[in-house]
Amino acid sequence: KLAIPMSHRPPNPKGFTLVEIIVTISIVALLSAIAIGYSRSSREQILLNVEKAKIAQVILRAKSQALSGFTKPATDPPPCSYGFFIDYTAETYSLFEYTPPGDCIDIFGASTIDPTDPSGDFKITSTEILSPELNFLKTEDDHLGYLVIVPPEPKFLLYEEEDKVFFDRPMTIYLSTRDGSLTTSITVNHITGQLSF
């Protein structure tokens, strides 16, 4: 058996050097910072998308109810219209039934909607609360307040929130994170009621 002289044997490592430890800690800290920042941003993006889907679902429910109302018997007539509205102060969004004062035909010529008018019939059927980490944004002139869906065609009437004035053009729902770092929107077409994301 051939013996290897002691001078040619590799040194027996006793541990890591200080430089190796510092480099390892630096890399771990950098990767952790990237992961934490990415997960926060991803979480907020997911939160925005989930809330956007919930809002779209409520609008689609309003459309569905407007169209299915005509299957009710004549002894239990449906409301003149169904809809969706946003309360920007309370940060909620709701599904409602609405019959204006007078005849259902009056709703087609209405340039304003007044749910607080006691002579009309405005009934909220469900309300959702916006996630506390998000908020609705208002713009100068195209943020949606009310969407009224009038069957049987159906016809889509879009109103702003404050003055409840009818707009003959698409309107948008804007959402943002509390710090304003991420935003998203849903645009509602005034002719077809189609939603664009």
Side-chain angles (χ1 to χ4, degrees), residues 19-98:
V19 172
E20 291 172 329
I21 292 172
I22 291 173
V23 168
T24 303
I25 290 172
S26 300
I27 291 172
V28 169
L30 179 66
L31 292 175
S32 296
I34 291 170
I36 289 169
Y38 180 75
S39 66
R40 181 177 172 270
S41 174
S42 297
R43 184 178 164 284
E44 289 177 339
Q45 188 64 53
I46 289 169
L47 194 59
L48 275 172
N49 287 333
V50 166
E51 201 69 48
K52 187 164 59 170
K54 285 170 59 180
I55 290 170
Q57 188 176 34
V58 172
I59 293 172
L60 293 174
R61 274 183 30 217
K63 284 184 184 180
S64 174
Q65 287 182 349
L67 296 175
S68 67
F70 280 89
T71 61
K72 287 188 172 186
T75 55
D76 182 23
C80 293
S81 62
Y82 294 84
F84 165 88
F85 87 95
I86 296 173
D87 184 333
Y88 284 85
T89 306
E91 295 197 329
T92 60
Y93 51 98
S94 304
L95 188 66
F96 66 85
E97 298 175 352
Y98 180 63

Side-chain angles (χ1 to χ4, degrees), residues 9 11 17 67-69 76 102 115 135 144 180 187:
R9 288 185 185 168
T17 66
L67 296 175
S68 67
D76 182 23
N135 62 328
L144 179 70
T187 301

Side-chain angles (χ1 to χ4, degrees), residues 87-132:
D87 184 333
Y88 284 85
T89 306
E91 295 197 329
T92 60
Y93 51 98
S94 304
L95 188 66
F96 66 85
E97 298 175 352
Y98 180 63
T99 299
D103 196 323
C104 283
I105 300 298
D106 296 342
I107 201 166
F108 286 104
S111 60
T112 63
I113 180 173
D114 188 3
T116 59
D117 184 347
S119 60
D121 185 14
F122 181 86
K123 182 170 80 174
I124 294 174
T125 57
S126 71
T127 298
E128 300 288 334
I129 299 170
L130 189 66
S131 168

